[in-house]
Amino acid sequence: MNNFFGLFENEDEKAQNNQQDEKLRLHKEELDITKNKIDAGEVTLKKEVIEEQQTVDVPINHEEVVIERRVIDNEPSNSSISDEETIHIPVSEEQVQVSKHTVTTGEVSAYKRNVEETQHVEETLKREEAHVDTTGHVNIASDDTASPID
């Protein structure tokens, strides 16, 4: 039986032909995918103090003394003239006093969570195939346990 690089020779034929064993090894590429964790950035939470001027209109009260003068048409009086008569009129007013206090207006919290997504990866892979070319009238025998050969 004819032999092409010893590919189709069975053990009996190898022993009969007493030839050196020649083999064509076929190879293919496969993907080795690894994932590496890298730093993507950082989030910093902090507070910033913002000052703003605020104007508030506050209504306040105060007292005023109104002096009214009336003319009296020379009415007779029994009182003597003296500088010992005095009238005291207390006057009050409201004063604005401003103080400040702190209140809580909100809360900001932060946490991390894992999010899984799928990334599409395309890569060209190579593989080897065996092709048998013959010249002239050559008989080729194949065992059916191997992959097909063109």
Side-chain angles (χ1 to χ4, degrees):
M1 183 177 294
N2 289 333
N3 180 11
F4 182 73
F5 296 114
L7 287 176
F8 305 109
E9 189 173 49
N10 64 27
E11 294 299 321
D12 293 334
E13 290 173 335
K14 286 181 190 177
Q16 288 175 359
N17 292 337
N18 230 357
Q19 293 182 350
Q20 185 178 3
D21 190 12
E22 295 183 34
K23 294 181 182 173
L24 178 65
R25 294 186 179 257
L26 303 177
H27 304 88
K28 72 173 185 175
E29 293 178 331
E30 292 184 349
L31 293 178
D32 291 324
I33 297 176
T34 58
K35 299 185 287 184
N36 298 316
K37 188 177 262 191
I38 61 170
D39 287 338
E42 179 180 72
V43 173
T44 303
L45 287 178
K46 66 178 186 175
K47 296 191 297 185
E48 177 182 0
V49 176
I50 298 173
E51 293 182 1
E52 61 182 17
Q53 194 68 30
Q54 191 174 43
T55 303
V56 179
D57 293 329
V58 180
I60 57 171
N61 291 321
H62 67 276
E63 297 175 331
E64 31 182 54
V65 177
V66 177
I67 307 290
E68 291 183 351
R69 295 179 186 253
R70 294 183 298 160
V71 176
I72 299 177
D73 192 21
N74 292 327
E75 289 181 9
S77 171
N78 293 336
S79 300
S80 62
I81 297 178
S82 159
D83 60 359
E84 292 182 14
E85 189 174 351
T86 305
I87 299 174
H88 294 278
I89 303 171
V91 177
S92 66
E93 68 179 359
E94 295 177 332
Q95 287 187 336
V96 176
Q97 181 178 355
V98 178
S99 63
K100 298 184 264 184
H101 65 281
T102 303
V103 296
T104 303
T105 61
E107 179 177 84
V108 176
S109 64
Y111 62 93
K112 296 190 316 182
R113 65 179 178 186
N114 285 327
V115 178
E116 184 176 316
E117 59 184 36
T118 302
Q119 183 176 351
H120 184 70
V121 177
E122 288 189 28
E123 187 61 46
T124 302
L125 300 178
K126 298 177 184 176
R127 66 182 171 97
E128 298 173 338
E129 291 183 356
H131 295 278
V132 178
D133 295 325
T134 60
T135 304
H137 184 66
V138 178
N139 291 328
I140 299 176
S142 173
D143 64 359
D144 290 334
T145 59
S147 60
I149 298 177
D150 293 340

